[in-house]
Amino acid sequence: MTLAKFDQSDDSVFVIIGSGAGGGTLGNELAQKGVKVVMLEAGARFNIPDFVNDEWPSFSQLAWTDARTTSGSWRVAKDFPNLPSWIVKAVGGTSIHWAGASLRFGEWEFKAKTTYGDIDGANLLDWPITLDEMVPYYANAENRMGVNGTNGIPHLPGNNNFKVMQAGAQKLGYKTVFTGNMAINSQPRDGRGSCEQIGFCFQGCKSGAKWSTLYTEIPKGEATGNLEVRPLSQVIHIEHNAAGKVTGVVYADAKGVMQRQKARGVAVAGNSLESPRLLLNSASGKYPDGLANSSGQVGRNYMRHTTGSVYASFEKPVHMYRGTTMAGIIRDESVNNPKRGFVGGYEMETISLGLPFAAAFFDPGAWGRSFTSKLDDYANTAGMWIIGEDMPQETNRVTLDGKVKDKFGMPVASVHFDDHPNDIAMRNHGFKQGGAVYRAVGATRVAEVPPYPSTHNLGTNRMSANARDGVVNKYGQTHDIKNLFISDGSQFTTGAGVNPTLTIVALAVRQGDNIAGMMSRGEI
Amino acid sequence: MTMRKVDARVKVTRRQFLQTSATVAPAATLLAGGATLGSEAAWAQASTLSPHAMATLTLMARDTYPHDQLGDSYYRSAVAHWDDDAAADVAKRQIIADGVVGLDAEANARFGANYIDVASEADRVTILQAVEPGAFFKAVRADLVVSLYNQKKLWPKFGYEGASAQYGGYLHRGFNDIDWLPST
Ligand SMILES: Cc1cc2nc3c(=O)[nH]c(=O)nc-3n(C[C@H](O)[C@H](O)[C@H](O)COP(=O)(O)OP(=O)(O)OC[C@H]3O[C@@H](n4cnc5c(N)ncnc54)[C@H](O)[C@@H]3O)c2cc1C
Ligand code: SF4
C-alpha cells in the first residue's frame, strides 16, 4: 500500500483538523467515498506497542499538556489550574484514552428545551435533529465500533469492581445493571482481538480490543489511497478569501515551521477546547470576532457533564484495577424525573484508578492521615463514576487567553466554568445513591470524590436550527461559511446524560454522507 | 476458589536494601520521628541543599503522606531528587532553602525546636498546617504525591499490581475472582 501524499497547493483536498473520534471517523468516511483528505494532527503518531501500562509515563506520552488556563468556581480551576481537561494529543486523539462506553441519547435528550422548559441561567435549546433521524447513524457507529450488546456482540464478563456495584445495586432495587455497551471486543472482530482484562483502558489498549480511530478508521481510510495523515502538524489559523469562503489552513510542522495547505473545505475536530480556540484565533478583517461567530456563540455553552466519583472501602479485597476500567453500568437514574430535584439523568459506571492516579485524584490537594488511610485501603476499594447531563450556560466558555501563548505564539485556550445549581443537585443525588449502593454490601467507608479534569468536553460550537442561536446547522456545517464544518463534540446542542463518543462518531458518519453529497452537487 | 493475592514479585536491589536496612521499624518512627527520618547524617552526601534541609524534607514527606506500612527508604527516595533539582534551578533551590527556614521558624515559635526536633507527629502536623498556604508546602506536596506513589516497589504493599499486558492481562489472573459478596 502506498500512502497518499497530496500537494500543499492542491486546493481540491478536504482538510480535517484533528484525528480523534470525530475527525478520524470523518476522514475515513470521506476517503471511502473518494474524497481526497489531508488530516492534520497536532500530536505524534504512536502504535499499540508504544502504549505503556503505567499511569504517569502514559500521561506524559499521550496527554495534551500544553498550557491552558482556567477560571470560575469549579474545583478543577483550583486543583488543576493548567489542566482543565484530560485529553490526548496524538493521532487517534482521545479515542486512545477513552474507556469505550457507547450509549445512545434518549429521545427526550435531543429536546432539552422542550422537555425541561426554561431553567434559570441555562441556555437550553432543542437539537435540530431527532433520535429517529439519528437511529441509522447510531446503528452504523455501533457496528463499526463493535459495541457489545449490539449487532449480536456478547457483553463483556464483569470484573470484581462491577460485581461489587452490581450486588449493591440489586440490593437497592435497581433494575438496569449490566456490563455496559462498550466498544470493546468481547470476541475477535474486525481484525482485532478480544479484551484480555488488562485494566489500562485509559492508557491505550495494548490488545487493540477497544476501538480507537488510531488503528481502525485511520488505517482503513489510508488504505483507500485518499487519506493522508500528517502528525505533528498543529493548525494555527484557518484562511478565507474575499468572498468569505475558507481556502486553506496555516499549520506549524514538526520543526515549528509554518506551512500552508490549500483546501476545498475544512472540518474542525480538535475537541471542544481547541476547536473554538482555532476559530477565534482565525479572526480577520472580514470576521473580526473569529470564524463562524456571527451568533457570538463560538466558545460558549461549554459543557463537561456533571461528574463525580464514589469510592468505597470494604473489609475484604476488591482489586478494582483488574480488568476493564469501565466495567459496568447502572442505568436506572438515566431518566428525566424532576421530582429528584433536578432535570436530566445520569449514569453510574464503574471506574478504577491505579495507585498513582488514586493518590493524585481521590482528593486533590489533600494530605495527612485521613487522606492516606483511604490509600491504605486501596486493595479493598471499589469505585464508580457519576456522569450526567449538565446545563449549558453562556458564561461557561472558552476564550483566547490574553497573556499566555503556546510555543508557536498562539494564545492558549482559557476555560471558564461555574456549576449550575441543577448540576450540583444532580451530583449530590448521585453521591447519595452511589454511597447507598456500596453501603448495601457492607462498605466500611464511602468517599465522595470531586470531578477530575474534564474528559468530556462539549458544546462550544453548538448546533442550532437558527443561525442566531448557534454556530453550526444540523449537518455540522457552520451557519456563516458553507465550506467550514465542525466535526467533534463541540457541535453538541446539549450534553445528554450519556457518554458522548458514540454520538460524536454517528454525527461524523452522517456528516460524511452530507459533505460528499454537497460536493457532488457542487455546493461546496 | 479463593481470591488471588497480589504477586510477591518485587525484587529488592542492593541499593534499596542498604537504604532500608539503615532505618528502624515504622512503629519506632512514629514515636521518635525526629530521631530517625529527620536524621541529617543520612544526607551527608547532599551537595546543593544542606543535610538539614534534606532531612527536613524527608520527615515532612512522611508527615504529609503518612503510611505506617512504609519504611523510611520510600520517603527518602521520594525527596532525593530535590537536591539535583536545586542544583539545576536557582528558583527551586530558593523555594526549598527559604521554605525550610520558614518551617523551622514556625516550629521554633510553637515548640521551641527545629521541625525535625519536634517529637510528636501531631505537633509537626500543626506546623505544616500553618505553612500549607505557602509556595514551599505547595511545591513539596504537589511533587510528593507523584514522586512517592509512583515508586513501583511500593505498589504491592497497597495491593496494586501495576502493568499487566506482559502477563496477558488479568483475564486468567483474577479479574473476577471476588468471593465474599452476598449471592445475587
Ligand atoms: C480517560 C477518558 C475516558 C473516556 N471514556 C469515555 C467513554 O467511556 N465513553 C465516551 O463516550 N467517551 C469517553 N471519553 C471521551 C472521549 O474520549 C471523547 O469524547 C472523544 O474522544 C472526543 O472526540 P473528538 O473528536 O471531539 O476529540 P479528540 O478525540 O480529543 O480528538 C481531537 C484531536 O485534535 C487534535 N487537535 C486539537 N487541536 C488541533 C490543531 N489546532 N491542529 C491539529 N490537531 C489538533 C488533538 O491533538 C486531538 O488528537 C473519555 C475520555 C477520557 C480522557
Ligand atoms: S481491559 Fe480490555 S479494553 Fe481495557 S485496555 Fe485491557 S484489553 Fe483493552
Side-chain angles (χ1 to χ4, degrees):
Chain A
M1 182 180 92
T2 46
L3 290 174
K5 178 112 190 66
F6 299 112
D7 204 275
Q8 289 185 323
S9 60
D10 183 347
D11 61 5
S12 71
V13 304
F14 192 90
V15 164
I16 298 177
I17 301 164
S19 61
T25 304
L26 178 65
N28 182 25
E29 276 299 291
L30 291 178
Q32 299 294 338
K33 294 174 192 300
V35 178
K36 292 188 279 181
V37 177
V38 171
M39 187 178 290
L40 299 169
E41 167 54 55
R45 188 164 184 160
F46 299 98
N47 293 307
I48 289 176
D50 301 327
F51 296 154
V52 276
N53 274 189
D54 193 349
E55 291 173 315
W56 286 117
S58 172
F59 183 83
S60 317
Q61 177 185 49
L62 299 170
W64 184 289
T65 49
D66 300 356
R68 287 177 176 133
T69 57
T70 47
S71 59
S73 58
W74 56 330
R75 191 172 151 181
V76 169
K78 172 176 158 274
D79 296 333
F80 306 98
N82 299 116
L83 191 74
S85 176
W86 176 15
I87 49 188
V88 171
K89 180 182 182 182
V91 174
T94 318
S95 73
I96 298 178
H97 263 356
W98 83 311
S102 303
L103 302 167
R104 296 183 181 192
F105 280 30
E107 198 199 345
W108 90 90
E109 289 175 316
F110 285 103
K111 299 179 196 150
K113 173 133 185 159
T114 306
T115 312
Y116 308 150
D118 281 327
I119 299 209
D120 253 2
N123 193 19
L124 285 168
L125 199 64
D126 288 350
W127 285 64
I129 332 178
T130 61
L131 177 62
D132 269 357
E133 287 171 81
M134 286 297 289
V135 160
Y137 294 102
Y138 272 139
N140 178 308
E142 285 160 350
N143 185 39
R144 71 171 56 214
M145 298 162 83
V147 176
N148 41 54
T150 78
N151 296 284
I153 305 168
H155 288 282
L156 288 162
N159 66 3
N160 292 343
N161 201 22
F162 170 70
K163 288 181 170 184
V164 175
M165 185 175 86
Q166 180 189 38
Q170 284 168 348
K171 285 220 162 182
L172 240 60
Y174 280 139
K175 298 279 182 286
T176 315
V177 186
F178 62 111
T179 57
N181 299 109
M182 308 300 293
I184 297 178
N185 279 351
S186 53
Q187 55 192 26
R189 189 174 190 271
D190 197 26
R192 294 180 286 116
S194 66
C195 175
E196 295 169 3
Q197 302 287 342
I198 294 170
F200 286 85
C201 305
F202 287 175
Q203 282 68 38
C205 176
K206 284 189 83 70
S207 78
K210 181 188 79 180
W211 177 88
S212 166
T213 55
L214 175 63
Y215 41 81
T216 59
E217 308 295 326
I218 290 171
K220 285 180 188 178
E222 286 175 323
T224 65
N226 294 324
L227 170 64
E228 179 188 350
V229 180
R230 288 185 207 151
L232 298 171
S233 301
Q234 181 183 320
V235 178
I236 308 292
H237 194 191
I238 302 171
E239 298 188 309
H240 63 79
N241 61 17
K245 274 183 67 177
V246 161
T247 54
V249 301
V250 173
Y251 66 95
D253 71 11
K255 297 197 180 83
V257 179
M258 292 300 155
Q259 304 286 347
R260 174 175 286 111
Q261 175 64 53
K262 290 285 180 192
R264 173 177 184 174
V266 172
V268 185
N271 204 318
S272 292
L273 304 187
E274 295 305 313
S275 292
R277 174 189 181 207
L278 185 55
L279 295 184
L280 294 172
N281 197 52
S282 301
S284 64
K286 188 172 177 66
Y287 299 120
D289 300 324
L291 298 190
N293 198 16
S294 65
S295 64
Q297 295 291 311
V298 169
R300 292 189 185 271
N301 312 305
Y302 170 60
M303 295 172 287
R304 58 182 311 280
H305 276 138
T306 294
T307 65
S309 312
V310 179
Y311 289 92
S313 309
F314 292 90
E315 271 181 86
K316 293 192 177 152
V318 178
H319 300 296
M320 65 173 170
Y321 57 85
R322 291 183 188 166
T324 45
T325 306
M326 218 157 254
I329 189 167
I330 303 172
R331 296 215 64 190
D332 295 65
E333 301 288 356
S334 184
V335 291
N336 179 43
N337 171 11
K339 285 203 196 97
R340 291 174 300 184
F342 54 89
V343 300
Y346 67 89
E347 321 286 337
M348 292 182 252
E349 301 171 346
T350 75
I351 195 165
S352 69
L353 299 175
L355 186 75
F357 272 13
F361 295 111
F362 267 14
D363 189 0
W367 56 279
R369 285 195 180 264
S370 66
F371 173 70
T372 53
S373 69
K374 292 180 195 163
L375 295 174
D376 283 328
D377 288 346
Y378 179 81
N380 297 10
T381 300
M384 70 162 77
W385 196 52
I386 294 153
I387 168 249
E389 177 159 13
D390 60 340
M391 291 294 110
Q393 302 179 72
E394 273 206 311
T395 47
N396 284 347
R397 68 188 286 208
V398 175
T399 51
L400 297 178
D401 193 281
K403 289 194 215 93
V404 186
K405 297 190 162 135
D406 71 10
K407 63 181 176 206
F408 306 122
M410 182 175 177
V412 307
S414 179
V415 187
H416 180 92
F417 190 89
D418 300 305
D419 281 311
H420 187 277
N422 197 76
D423 307 344
I424 296 169
M426 178 187 286
R427 178 177 300 121
N428 288 338
H429 192 269
F431 279 154
K432 193 172 113 260
Q433 294 307 109
V437 164
Y438 289 132
R439 284 193 189 94
V441 277
T444 50
R445 166 159 60 178
V446 170
E448 297 173 356
V449 170
Y452 314 123
S454 318
T455 55
H456 299 173
N457 299 277
L458 307 165
T460 50
N461 296 301
R462 73 174 181 181
M463 197 181 268
S464 63
N466 196 313
R468 178 183 72 222
D469 300 326
V471 179
V472 299
N473 67 16
K474 63 190 293 188
Y475 303 116
Q477 182 180 33
T478 63
H479 288 300
D480 298 353
I481 304 174
K482 281 217 149 351
N483 63 342
L484 177 63
F485 297 80
I486 305 293
S487 315
D488 59 18
S490 67
Q491 303 175 77
F492 279 34
T493 311
T494 52
V498 298
N499 314 58
T501 307
L502 182 74
T503 304
I504 294 175
V505 172
L507 287 171
V509 174
R510 180 170 177 274
Q511 187 179 58
D513 278 0
N514 285 294
I515 291 177
M518 291 177 202
M519 282 182 163
S520 62
R521 293 190 300 272
E523 292 168 17
I524 55 169
Chain B
M1 202 181 80
T2 54
M3 288 185 76
R4 188 177 65 79
K5 303 265 164 41
V6 174
D7 296 346
R9 66 171 92 87
V10 187
K11 301 215 170 53
V12 178
T13 65
R14 198 177 117 80
R15 205 175 124 257
Q16 284 162 12
F17 177 75
L18 289 177
Q19 281 175 350
T20 318
S21 60
T23 65
V24 298
T29 312
L30 258 188
L31 288 175
T36 57
L37 262 186
S39 160
E40 294 176 9
W43 291 106
Q45 80 287 7
S47 57
T48 305
L49 294 170
S50 67
H52 176 70
M54 292 306 294
T56 305
L57 282 175
T58 315
L59 181 58
M60 193 177 150
R62 184 182 279 283
D63 291 339
T64 306
Y65 292 119
H67 292 286
D68 301 337
Q69 57 168 329
L70 293 184
D72 293 345
S73 64
Y74 299 100
Y75 293 100
R76 288 214 176 88
S77 312
V79 300
H81 71 92
W82 278 112
D83 192 41
D84 297 334
D85 290 2
D89 184 338
V90 187
K92 284 189 180 166
R93 184 169 71 198
Q94 210 62 46
I95 285 189
I96 300 296
D98 292 355
V100 171
V101 170
L103 191 70
D104 281 339
E106 190 67 42
N108 275 291
R110 285 165 185 259
F111 304 105
N114 281 344
Y115 184 80
I116 55 173
D117 298 319
V118 175
S120 125
E121 178 185 329
D123 288 346
R124 293 194 306 272
V125 166
T126 64
I127 302 168
L128 292 182
Q129 281 163 343
V131 303
E132 186 177 359
F136 169 66
F137 183 84
K138 281 194 182 141
V140 171
R141 192 212 58 79
D143 172 82
L144 195 57
V145 77
V146 179
S147 61
L148 179 64
Y149 297 105
N150 216 20
Q151 301 178 63
K152 290 198 170 91
K153 60 190 155 102
L154 67 67
W155 292 352
K157 289 180 174 278
F158 290 84
Y160 178 55
E161 294 168 278
S164 78
Q166 71 275 33
Y167 307 111
Y170 290 105
L171 185 58
H172 305 293
R173 298 169 58 245
F175 83 103
N176 62 353
D177 65 356
I178 197 160
D179 59 4
W180 53 264
L181 285 169
S183 56
T184 50

